[in-house]
Amino acid sequence: MQLKLKFNLLVFFAIFGIFSVSAQEQVSEENAYKKRVLENTEIDFLTSYYSQDGENAAVSGGKGTEELTDFTPTIVVSIPLNADDVLTIDAGVSAYTSTSSSNVDPFDGSGPADPFTASSGASQSDTWANLNATYSHSSNDRNKIWTANFSVASEYDYFSLGFGGSFTKLWNDKNTELTVNGNVFLDTWNPIYPYELRPFGEHGKRLGDALFSRYHITGNAGYNPVFSEFTDKGRNSYSLGFNFSQILTERMQASIALDLVQQSGLLSTPFQRVYFRDIENSFIEDFQLADAIEQLPDNRLKVAAGGRLNYYLNEIFVLRGYYRFYNDDWGIQSHTASLEIPIKLGTKFTLYPSYRYYMQTAADYFAGYEMHTSSEEYYTSDYDLSRFSANQYSFGVNYTDIFTQFHLWSLHMKSIDLRYLYYKRNSGLKSNLISAGINFIVE
């Protein structure tokens, strides 16, 4: 893993160096004044609070509470290196508390083990952290833009490295735009298995383990799950995207996009239980012991195509429409459609009401609680892979201070954005998201 990290860092800084040399050469060719891509350093302070609840937790095999809360503060700093080049640093931390993930070990709490009750153990909460760096170079005529990016993210059970880049070409007096981008993510799992399965791993004590000595098994006392530890702990993702945008009239702009993603490696989530209908149930207290863990293919190809259409009605109203079709080789097809209507109130305030509809088919390997059989090769009871439809409603408000009159020391406020989002699936999952962002210019 250290060799991979060193290699990726070398690639990133090599790309960075090439772009820097190119920028210096082009600047030396044109000494006349030209408008900078970014006039001053800008800082965005972002935060969000997310909560959800439902009764189909994948951790407990398709039943049990899905209650979760997440708080995510993020800071984004965009730094103009010269007239043509911008470096953007994006750093964030996500701190969550999850009733469902606490039941990876449902036996470490003070009360009886139950899929609808949170365990108070260490798996109840965790912190995810990420850092992204993006370098952007624009040509002298601003008709070509190159970017290179590098990212790193870490959580208790995985570590991820990512790198990539993009190229954008504008022509026809900047009315036409084409962007091509590619990214690679190299992830490494530290597999965490359901607590009752760990004694059945390699060199395990099976039913002689302390867990089964401490608790009495009811139902099938000869508990013998289908379980072996994963040997492949890596997951690689490769993406390629195309976006074409065209200004059609003075009032209308349209764009189309195509995205391809290839994944390989450990695509199963190690701590998600599965229960078979042809195996007698075993319990400790009120918690059903896992018959197996999720097993999914080690390859997945995703294809998505979509388009946007923006129409300027008048100085107050704009219509923003969006549609996306998705298909993968696990059997999922989905449709997404949304409409946003920005409403401009004077020169400073804009309202953002929007609606989004989503529906998908089920993956070939999905079945609900106790609907799989032990003879199947692949199986999951993760309702994210089930057939469902969802409605999402959101409302936002943006305040823009075009003269940046309000300031804190050398930070001059440019804009404030607040947004609320409500999401509901027909399977019962509901969620709420409140987000806020403040943009400052450093002078």
Side-chain angles (χ1 to χ4, degrees), residues 9-31:
L9 288 172
L10 288 173
V11 170
F12 173 72
F13 286 114
I15 294 173
F16 187 98
I18 291 171
F19 284 147
S20 297
V21 170
S22 175
Q24 292 170 5
E25 291 175 348
Q26 293 190 34
V27 169
S28 64
E29 292 172 0
E30 184 177 300
N31 295 321

Side-chain angles (χ1 to χ4, degrees), residues 174-246:
K174 302 188 188 302
N175 290 323
T176 306
E177 179 179 322
L178 175 66
T179 298
V180 180
N181 64 79
N183 290 281
V184 176
F185 293 95
L186 307 175
D187 304 341
T188 301
W189 283 89
N190 175 26
I192 306 297
Y193 302 105
Y195 191 76
E196 70 272 24
L197 295 180
R198 298 173 195 176
F200 294 86
E202 188 177 2
H203 309 303
K205 298 180 181 179
R206 300 184 181 272
L207 290 178
D209 185 77
L211 170 68
F212 305 110
S213 300
R214 191 166 71 249
Y215 294 98
H216 174 65
I217 297 178
T218 59
N220 178 18
Y223 176 58
N224 187 28
V226 179
F227 175 68
S228 59
E229 297 180 2
F230 290 113
T231 56
D232 185 357
K233 299 180 181 180
R235 177 182 60 194
N236 298 335
S237 301
Y238 310 91
S239 68
L240 181 64
F242 304 88
N243 187 281
F244 178 80
S245 176
Q246 176 67 50

Side-chain angles (χ1 to χ4, degrees), residues 341-352:
I341 307 177
I343 305 170
K344 195 169 183 62
L345 305 178
T347 60
K348 293 188 175 183
F349 286 95
T350 304
L351 307 181
Y352 292 93

Side-chain angles (χ1 to χ4, degrees), residues 304-372:
R308 297 181 182 274
L309 183 64
N310 299 337
Y311 186 77
Y312 175 83
L313 285 175
N314 52 47
E315 61 182 12
I316 297 177
F317 296 100
V318 177
L319 301 179
R320 295 177 179 173
Y322 172 74
Y323 171 77
R324 177 179 182 264
F325 172 75
Y326 167 90
N327 183 78
D328 67 31
D329 56 3
W330 285 8
I332 294 180
Q333 288 189 351
S334 73
H335 301 270
T336 305
S338 69
L339 177 64
E340 183 179 66
I341 307 177
I343 305 170
K344 195 169 183 62
L345 305 178
T347 60
K348 293 188 175 183
F349 286 95
T350 304
L351 307 181
Y352 292 93
S354 69
Y355 169 74
R356 175 181 178 269
Y357 176 77
Y358 176 85
M359 65 84 63
Q360 74 171 38
T361 61
D364 297 335
Y365 319 111
F366 171 81
Y369 166 69
E370 287 199 331
M371 295 180 66
H372 284 291

